[in-house]
Amino acid sequence: MRLFYEEELKRKSYYEMLQIAIDERLVEAQVDTLSRKELIEVILKYRGARADFCIKNYKEKGLENIQKLFDDKLNNRIHHENTIKVPHKIVLYKELDLTKEDSYKIELPDNISKANAFLINANNYLCGIFQLEKDLDSKNKFYLISKKEFFRIESLKNNKFSLLFFKERDIQFIYRFYNAKEASQPTYPYRLDYYKIELENFEVRNLETTNTTLCIDFGTVNTSVGAYLDRNYVRDLPSNDILIGNVKINEINYVKFNDGERHYREIFPTLAYVSDCSNPNDIKYLFGYDVIRKLEKNNYVVNGSLFYGLKRWVHDHREKEKINDEFGNILYIERKKIIRAYLKYIVERAEYTFKCKFKKIHASSPVKLKDQFLEMFQEIFTVEKNGETTFEYEIIRENAMDEAIAVLYNTIENQIKKRKYKEGEEYSALIIDCGGGTTDLAACKYVIENERISYYLDIKTSFENGDENFGGNNMTYRIMQFLKVVLGNLYTKKKIISINDLIEYDNDMIYKVIDEFGIEKIFEKLQSEYEKYETIIPTRYSNFENKMSEEYKKIRNNFYMLWEAAENLKKEFFTIDGRLRTKFDVPRMKDSFQKSNDMHITQIKSWIIHILENGIFRTINEYPNHIFTIKEIEKIVKADIYNMLRKFLNTYYNEGILFEYSLIKLSGQSTKISTFQEVLKEFVPGKMIEYKELSHRDDYELKLNCLDGAIKYLDYKRFGHMNVTIENEVPLVPYSVWVEKYDGEKIEMIKTSRKADILKGEIDKTISAEELKIYVYNAEGDLKKELIYKNDDDYEEMDAEDIIPIFNGVITQNDTDTIQNLTTRFFIYTDLNNWGFFVFPIQRYEDQLFLGKKQYFAFEDDLNEISYFDGKH
């Protein structure tokens, strides 16, 4: 009979537990779908294992308690006849936990406790405690794991180590002794017999600091991290990690993250969840896949604050955000602290994976947000200690690459490697980077030359356009709308509705209708039906925050259930093998079903939809039998993709400029969709589109293009293999900036259609002015937005010779000398690295100058401000 611990079950996916329940004949295969909680309860009731007395929670006096016990009670060593097997070599890093990913396995017979192994030296000094985690693929093998807090390995005079093991009855007492308070330690009349295994090679190391740069592609939806590791990235290479394949020498290495389904992926969801904020100095978060698992376990209804798309906060990362946790605690913290916690988690995961300490980070930045993006990163990793400001990590700025050029550089590097270039010939490329939340279009011209000692690469770039509100999430949302209408018809009318009923134009007409009437015309009926079925399958949970808690939870579940179904449906169809038909179901049916049928299964962990009938909710647990086809999904996404590309490329196409480019480079998760390439062929010949067949990494191949480009660029620069010159063309600013004088007259500070590196304006106000109102107009003279600069008391006393260098030629000595007493002069200026303008004040009081805060204002809200996860869609 197989037995299961509760903690073990909680780590398993819903599918794994369902299969256990079926295999152990605890439920019928055709039974109505049980919830996750119900499954755990059923398995524990009939196959639950008793408590294992494992010491796994660190106690401050715990190791001292056991040391006293061992000093007094250790008795005879039991002969084990080689039935206990341990690794030949174990390397422990003081700053890191030991996990099953380190793959140190031991083999134990049945008569020995599987709770803990105790590390001692030749003087019987207790150096640490390991926990044992079952290797699910083996009968009697266990992983050695432990938190770093469990080890006392500083300044040891004896470094000959052994492992102690005990029988089950003795481990129970050791467990109680470890957890006992000093005043009430339990007594034990007998002495402890033990099994002792000497470790042939046990090494304790400190993490080395590496000169290798860690590269981060911080995305709206997903983030990826990696570095190029050569033989010299640390002095003592992590031999164990190299042997098991976690580290590959002389290659690009990606940080992998456990997705909770026993897979490790190179992309990590940009998600943060607040689990405990009771201590403002120690806020507990969940990130990425842990958040997804949390949502799935709770039917997408959680009590803590949940944050999607942290990257969107780049403009206002100093703004305060209200957070709450699972226990009702409320706190107001700066957004940058949430971003820092997420990025710190990412970096520490990299340091664990590669067994080193990084000091330099390269962050790929959006094209028009490079300076403020890098500034935010450096601010996040700047800490104050004992009154001194230090950089926890140095953010690469001088050689930093923006996302689009990193993607292009990866293509150029492959071009050089394959020798598919003509020396000295000018190439031109257009990069379309469509990710989960935003799309960017950048252009460049480049020349490759093979010099005597290195390659020379001259790149001239210009940012062409961007759509801050289009990405993969938009396509998921369209598919979700379609699902809601289809399911609404099935559940209420028992009627099948097709995409042709909702989008009445055939494929050839879609482009013409968009050209003439706009995208709204295509989705007019789909949007109308979606609104109609909000009364049947409600998903706008923000409208129900004042309703009963049960209602709110059901509606929130509906949204996330349909969103996950739509996302999985999109992934199912746009895989490498071009699937044609699919239906929703559980994975246990998949293998046998698909062997004899062209039908594929879109996997969903459980199916729970709440529909409204006469004001009462009815819950549906059965998977729908409806079959979805690739043609339906293609028709949905085609219109949106064409509309976005049309906005980007129409001018190029009509004026014939598009054909001057030698290649169109596609990048980002969303461009892997075959429909993307098909629509792009409406504008350019297919041979111009650079799009390689996807490898085994088809889920994230294009996401890693940006990361690859940045890593290769920094590596080539480091070893002098390539001399790269990147010149950014100065863009023309299509906006003008105005402020108001005391008499209401508006004066122009920044003129429209001027180059962004030469624009500056100034205005004087009385020293009592608390706000500066700013007006931004487009090139046609229409007011685009009103902005407020808050002139608070955050001023620093400074002399002119200290102020002028800070702004690098923006102001002169005359600008400061002419400021009158009791006057504040506001300066507004642009620079070529920022798609916006800066405001800063200088005031004179009693003949002394004071410098105020500098603030950045964007011309456009470049990062996606549409959040599909606010309960309003």
Side-chain angles (χ1 to χ4, degrees):
M1 181 186 296
R2 294 172 67 192
L3 298 177
F4 302 90
Y5 295 105
E6 184 174 2
E7 286 301 314
E8 177 187 359
L9 292 175
K10 286 180 178 179
R11 288 196 296 268
K12 293 183 181 296
S13 71
Y14 177 87
Y15 296 123
E16 289 174 312
M17 290 196 298
L18 183 60
Q19 199 60 51
I20 288 169
I22 293 170
D23 293 345
E24 297 294 317
R25 299 181 180 178
L26 304 179
V27 299
E28 296 292 333
Q30 303 302 319
V31 74
D32 286 344
T33 306
L34 295 172
S35 71
R36 183 182 184 87
K37 183 179 178 183
E38 289 169 336
L39 264 179
I40 291 175
E41 288 173 352
V42 167
I43 297 172
L44 288 177
K45 181 177 180 179
Y46 297 102
R47 297 290 186 272
R50 56 190 169 83
D52 57 5
F53 297 102
C54 176
I55 297 170
K56 55 191 173 186
N57 297 317
Y58 177 74
K59 304 274 186 181
E60 188 174 350
K61 297 288 186 180
L63 271 74
E64 291 180 22
N65 290 347
I66 295 181
Q67 183 71 66
K68 292 175 185 176
L69 178 68
F70 284 1
D71 290 342
D72 184 45
K73 294 292 185 181
L74 277 189
N75 191 27
N76 295 321
R77 177 175 177 176
I78 304 173
H79 187 56
H80 56 83
E81 298 177 337
N82 296 320
T83 56
I84 301 175
K85 297 178 181 177
V86 299
H88 166 70
K89 181 177 182 179
I90 297 175
V91 178
L92 190 71
Y93 290 85
K94 292 180 184 178
E95 300 91 338
L96 300 177
D97 297 336
L98 194 69
T99 77
K100 63 180 292 186
E101 292 176 52
D102 294 301
S103 200
Y104 290 119
K105 292 183 187 179
I106 63 171
E107 192 172 320
L108 295 176
D110 292 337
N111 61 320
I112 294 178
S113 168
K114 313 303 187 297
N116 296 101
F118 299 87
L119 180 71
I120 64 169
N121 67 6
N123 296 326
N124 279 349
Y125 178 77
L126 180 63
C127 304
I129 302 175
F130 294 100
Q131 294 80 44
L132 306 182
E133 182 174 325
K134 183 77 171 68
D135 176 8
L136 299 178
D137 298 322
S138 172
K139 179 182 178 183
N140 54 1
K141 289 184 180 178
F142 298 82
Y143 292 99
L144 286 172
I145 65 170
S146 193
K147 298 287 186 183
K148 56 182 178 287
E149 292 85 0
F150 277 100
F151 291 91
R152 305 187 297 178
I153 44 182
E154 298 287 345
S155 306
L156 292 177
K157 294 180 180 178
N158 184 290
N159 289 321
K160 184 175 177 61
F161 296 97
S162 302
L163 290 179
L164 295 188
F165 299 90
F166 296 88
K167 291 183 177 179
E168 191 66 44
R169 67 181 180 88
D170 292 330
I171 207 72
Q172 294 180 31
F173 176 75
I174 296 172
Y175 173 84
R176 288 195 291 269
F177 209 91
Y178 173 85
N179 288 288
K181 294 180 181 178
E182 193 168 349
S184 58
Q185 287 182 351
T187 57
Y188 191 57
Y190 307 106
R191 299 182 73 80
L192 299 169
D193 295 332
Y194 60 90
Y195 300 84
K196 183 176 182 180
I197 312 298
E198 293 183 0
L199 296 174
E200 297 177 47
N201 195 335
F202 186 87
E203 188 176 344
V204 178
R205 293 181 184 176
N206 291 308
L207 275 187
E208 292 181 56
T209 299
T210 181
N211 284 323
T212 297
T213 302
L214 181 68
C215 293
I216 300 176
D217 180 13
F218 182 39
T220 308
V221 176
N222 290 301
T223 295
S224 55
V225 195
Y228 184 89
L229 304 180
D230 61 24
R231 291 200 167 273
N232 301 305
Y233 88 93
V234 287
R235 185 184 69 253
D236 294 324
L237 291 172
S239 53
N240 177 65
D241 295 271
I242 294 170
L243 287 171
I244 61 180
N246 287 351
V247 170
K248 296 180 173 65
I249 296 299
N250 297 327
E251 288 186 31
I252 291 176
N253 286 252
Y254 305 105
V255 179
K256 295 184 179 180
F257 301 88
N258 185 351
D259 68 355
E261 304 291 342
R262 300 175 70 187
H263 298 108
Y264 286 85
R265 303 191 182 278
E266 283 99 331
I267 59 173
F268 190 63
T270 312
L271 282 174
Y273 173 75
V274 180
S275 57
D276 186 351
C277 63
S278 56
N279 182 355
N281 298 316
D282 186 23
I283 300 172
K284 306 294 185 187
Y285 296 94
L286 296 178
F287 301 111
Y289 294 115
D290 288 336
V291 181
I292 293 174
R293 289 197 291 273
K294 178 82 175 177
L295 290 170
E296 290 170 350
K297 287 178 184 178
N298 293 277
N299 293 331
Y300 304 103
V301 179
V302 288
N303 295 322
S305 296
L306 179 62
F307 299 105
Y308 289 81
L310 306 177
K311 184 178 179 180
R312 295 187 292 114
W313 287 343
V314 62
H315 287 314
D316 45 16
H317 60 275
R318 297 185 188 95
E319 293 289 322
K320 290 206 169 181
E321 192 78 24
K322 177 186 175 183
I323 64 172
N324 57 274
D325 64 16
E326 298 175 348
F327 312 104
N329 299 303
I330 295 174
L331 199 63
Y332 288 86
I333 63 170
E334 289 181 305
R335 289 173 167 179
K336 68 179 181 181
K337 290 187 177 180
I338 302 172
I339 302 174
R340 172 188 158 79
Y342 176 85
L343 292 174
K344 185 72 174 169
Y345 178 91
I346 293 281
V347 174
E348 287 179 350
R349 173 67 186 171
E351 291 177 337
Y352 165 79
T353 302
F354 303 143
K355 302 298 188 288
C356 64
K357 175 72 177 171
F358 289 98
K359 64 179 181 180
K360 293 184 289 188
I361 290 176
H362 177 279
S364 308
S365 55
V367 180
K368 292 194 295 187
L369 298 171
K370 188 170 183 177
D371 259 33
Q372 55 265 47
F373 198 80
L374 297 180
E375 186 179 327
M376 179 190 77
F377 257 78
Q378 190 62 82
E379 186 178 332
I380 280 170
F381 287 122
T382 300
V383 294
E384 286 193 18
K385 203 170 186 180
N386 300 325
E388 292 186 6
T389 300
T390 58
F391 291 158
E392 191 174 9
Y393 299 96
E394 174 196 345
I395 304 302
I396 301 295
R397 302 190 76 154
E398 185 178 343
N399 294 319
M401 300 193 88
D402 60 54
E403 293 163 350
I405 300 307
V407 167
L408 176 68
Y409 185 86
N410 188 53
T411 298
I412 296 173
E413 195 269 346
N414 290 329
Q415 190 179 356
I416 293 173
K417 189 185 295 182
K418 295 175 182 177
R419 302 188 183 281
K420 291 186 176 181
Y421 71 94
K422 290 183 180 178
E423 192 166 348
E425 181 173 321
E426 185 178 74
Y427 294 90
S428 56
L430 204 61
I431 306 108
I432 300 174
D433 184 7
C434 183
T438 60
T439 301
D440 282 334
L441 181 71
C444 83
K445 298 182 185 297
Y446 63 94
V447 176
I448 306 170
E449 293 182 1
N450 190 345
E451 298 183 328
R452 185 176 59 85
I453 57 174
S454 70
Y455 291 104
Y456 173 72
L457 177 60
D458 180 51
I459 303 177
K460 291 183 173 62
T461 73
S462 64
F463 179 82
E464 299 298 327
N465 209 332
D467 189 336
E468 64 274 16
N469 291 320
F470 184 84
N473 281 346
N474 300 67
M475 291 182 260
T476 301
Y477 179 64
R478 291 289 193 200
I479 297 170
M480 181 193 132
Q481 288 185 302
F482 176 57
L483 282 179
K484 184 167 167 176
V485 174
V486 168
L487 295 173
N489 271 273
L490 282 176
Y491 293 147
T492 59
K493 301 177 182 177
K494 310 296 182 188
K495 172 187 168 187
I496 294 175
I497 190 167
S498 81
I499 193 61
N500 293 327
D501 298 321
L502 300 169
I503 300 177
E504 298 172 341
Y505 310 99
D506 60 32
N507 285 332
D508 294 335
M509 283 295 295
I510 285 177
Y511 303 149
K512 294 178 182 177
V513 172
I514 293 174
D515 288 339
E516 189 168 349
F517 301 104
I519 188 71
E520 294 79 12
K521 189 71 175 173
I522 297 295
F523 293 112
E524 193 173 41
K525 189 168 183 182
L526 174 61
Q527 186 65 40
S528 172
E529 290 292 297
Y530 180 75
E531 299 290 341
K532 179 174 127 183
Y533 280 101
E534 177 65 17
T535 60
I536 307 297
I537 310 177
T539 54
R540 292 174 181 162
Y541 54 85
S542 69
N543 295 339
F544 286 79
E545 289 179 347
N546 62 339
K547 303 292 184 183
M548 298 294 288
S549 179
E550 277 304 307
E551 289 183 41
Y552 173 81
K553 289 179 179 178
K554 287 175 179 178
I555 295 164
R556 185 180 172 108
N557 171 83
N558 280 351
F559 172 81
Y560 283 100
M561 178 80 247
L562 289 177
W563 182 273
E564 183 186 5
E567 182 71 16
N568 287 10
L569 195 64
K570 183 178 73 174
K571 290 176 181 176
E572 184 70 30
F573 275 126
F574 299 121
T575 53
I576 195 168
D577 56 0
R579 296 166 183 178
L580 302 177
R581 301 193 305 154
T582 190
K583 62 183 291 189
F584 294 112
D585 215 322
V586 290
R588 59 192 165 88
M589 295 180 58
K590 186 177 180 183
D591 295 334
S592 59
F593 188 70
Q594 291 182 174
K595 283 178 182 175
S596 58
N597 199 308
D598 69 337
M599 179 77 66
H600 282 259
I601 299 301
T602 296
Q603 300 179 19
I604 299 290
K605 288 184 170 57
S606 61
W607 190 267
I608 304 173
I609 292 288
H610 307 284
I611 67 170
L612 266 176
E613 293 178 342
N614 300 319
I616 300 173
F617 278 106
R618 177 167 68 92
T619 301
I620 296 176
N621 296 114
E622 295 179 1
Y623 291 84
N625 281 322
H626 187 82
I627 295 172
F628 298 90
T629 69
I630 183 66
K631 295 297 181 186
E632 290 177 308
I633 306 304
E634 280 182 339
K635 193 168 187 178
I636 292 169
V637 302
K638 180 180 290 185
D640 266 332
I641 293 172
Y642 177 79
N643 186 59
M644 182 271 293
L645 290 174
R646 174 178 169 271
K647 183 166 70 171
F648 279 2
L649 303 178
N650 240 15
T651 303
Y652 292 82
Y653 179 77
N654 293 334
E655 296 179 5
I657 301 173
L658 200 54
F659 300 98
E660 296 176 5
Y661 291 96
S662 48
L663 69 88
I664 310 289
K665 169 67 184 174
L666 298 182
S667 172
Q669 284 297 89
S670 301
T671 60
K672 75 175 185 174
I673 294 174
S674 55
T675 314
F676 206 104
Q677 304 148 63
E678 178 192 330
V679 175
L680 189 53
K681 289 174 187 176
E682 291 291 310
F683 299 92
V684 295
K687 64 181 181 180
M688 289 176 63
I689 305 171
E690 205 256 18
Y691 180 83
K692 67 177 179 178
E693 287 297 319
L694 299 180
S695 70
H696 67 284
R697 306 184 311 183
D698 65 299
D699 277 349
Y700 35 80
E701 177 86 11
L702 293 177
K703 172 68 178 171
L704 296 180
N705 275 353
C706 175
L707 193 64
D708 286 346
I711 293 172
K712 290 174 182 177
Y713 170 71
L714 291 172
D715 188 55
Y716 272 45
K717 291 277 286 186
R718 178 183 170 199
F719 293 107
H721 296 160
M722 188 177 293
N723 181 18
V724 182
T725 301
I726 300 177
E727 181 184 337
N728 296 308
E729 291 184 10
V730 180
L732 295 178
V733 176
Y735 302 101
S736 60
V737 179
W738 299 68
V739 295
E740 223 171 36
K741 290 174 63 178
Y742 70 94
D743 58 3
E745 178 190 354
K746 289 180 182 174
I747 60 170
E748 192 172 21
M749 306 288 281
I750 295 175
K751 294 182 181 294
T752 185
S753 302
R754 301 291 197 278
K755 289 194 173 183
D757 61 341
I758 56 173
L759 303 180
K760 186 190 81 167
E762 61 188 59
I763 186 171
D764 287 349
K765 296 278 186 180
T766 64
I767 202 167
S768 62
E770 296 179 2
E771 293 181 348
L772 179 69
K773 187 174 281 190
I774 304 166
Y775 304 88
V776 179
Y777 292 85
N778 61 21
E780 289 74 38
D782 300 322
L783 180 64
K784 180 177 173 64
K785 64 169 97 174
E786 292 184 13
L787 303 166
I788 297 290
Y789 173 89
K790 290 191 176 295
N791 188 30
D792 53 30
D793 296 327
D794 189 17
Y795 277 81
E796 182 180 356
E797 181 179 330
M798 295 181 74
D799 294 326
E801 55 266 28
D802 296 320
I803 295 175
I804 293 169
I806 294 175
F807 296 98
N808 196 24
V810 172
I811 58 174
T812 65
Q813 184 77 38
N814 185 61
D815 289 324
T816 58
D817 288 348
T818 55
I819 299 175
Q820 301 295 313
N821 266 325
L822 300 178
T823 298
T824 300
R825 180 167 293 173
F826 292 91
F827 294 89
I828 297 180
Y829 73 97
T830 64
D831 68 42
L832 63 90
N833 292 319
N834 294 274
W835 197 240
F837 58 90
F838 292 92
V839 178
F840 69 92
I842 301 175
Q843 64 180 217
R844 188 183 293 275
Y845 179 74
E846 293 183 352
D847 294 324
Q848 175 61 51
L849 293 179
F850 294 83
L851 175 64
K853 67 178 181 183
K854 181 176 78 169
Q855 185 173 346
Y856 177 77
F857 294 94
F859 287 127
E860 303 165 3
D861 297 322
D862 300 296
L863 295 184
N864 192 348
E865 291 300 324
I866 295 178
S867 173
Y868 291 108
F869 307 101
D870 56 9
K872 298 176 182 177
H873 292 84

